[in-house]
Amino acid sequence: RFKTPCWSGNLESSFSVASENVTVRSGQSVVLPCWLSPAADAQAMEVRWYRPEQYSRPVLLYREQKILTSSQPERFRNRAALGSPGGLKRGNVSLRIDNVTFADAGPYECYVSSELLYSSALVFLNVSAKPLQPSLNRATAHHHVVVSEDRKYLRDSEKTGDNTEMGRFHHHTCVLGEPGFSSGCKYWEVVLKQENIDVKAAWWVGLASGSADRSTEAPLTPSGGFWYLSSDGSNGYHVNLDPTFPVSLSTRPGTLGVLVEYEKGRLTFYDVGEKKPILTLVTAFTGDVFPLFNPGTGDSGSVHIPDMIPPSVEAEEQPLLNTDTLNTENETEATVPTHCSPGSSSWLPTAHQG
């Protein structure tokens, strides 16, 4: 809880603003609590909610006893409102946000002022995702992929077999996870570092459309229904665009987080150990999609899919790549925004069950 008393002039009384932090699951509505202490009628005051460094573009602005929207960011239009009908009279200046997204996560400033007095407080909004607990679908695995009995580990092998069975990957050493899904926000993690063994040098982790052609020997690209981040040892990291897109990382992830926001067409990868986002792919999903794994040809280290708790996202910045509009002839304009860089935000997993 935060309290910041402020006053102007030689006054006999003052007020402060108090608040509490909040965690909510993506897609739900949330009230960011903020109130005057001691309780006072705020109907004639100005109430301004804004993101840090965005004072002039408030999420919500109440002034002269009405809501003003002329300077409100478009993405908060029709989603932000005062949190309690009639609450201003009792000093309740809370903010309500509907249909919360991961872009809404982070700090908000609650600023209240009268003609002579003002006070403010920070509220932190954490947004959680529903965890997916994938297991490996052996019926989709290339025959060089060994899947453990509990369907939580996979690794490459040199065994031979018939790769022409319906539903299997014929040419790429991949396997799908299950269940698939066609809506909502899902999150899972992939462990690439086993005890007393170096971090795996070769792997693919991502997402595949249920209708994608698994028998193809052509490269797996977004246009074919595949989206993934890969590591190829000394050749570094890449996203499977056409042509492939290099990704620069300062450390080799021991655990990779995967977040899918289906309706928004966003696939985000995180370095869980470093508590940093890596990048976000922006596309359009249709039909069922499934977790995708590849243990890397010639890399005997295993990939592990752990049981886990849902994450909480505390910040919104990460590199963005649009898989539909990437201009490969003018790559500079189509790459990540210049104000973002890998590892620029403070994402942290928490034990909150949402």
Side-chain angles (χ1 to χ4, degrees), residues 137-156:
N137 183 350
R138 288 194 187 91
T140 66
H142 185 282
H143 273 290
H144 282 187
V145 176
V146 176
V147 176
S148 64
E149 287 298 319
D150 63 2
R151 300 193 297 161
K152 289 292 188 178
Y153 290 84
L154 67 151
R155 62 178 176 83
D156 181 44

Side-chain angles (χ1 to χ4, degrees), residues 193-208:
K193 171 73 171 73
Q194 308 303 324
E195 189 175 358
N196 300 321
I197 301 176
D198 290 338
V199 178
K200 274 184 67 63
W203 47 263
W204 299 1
V205 173
L207 201 64

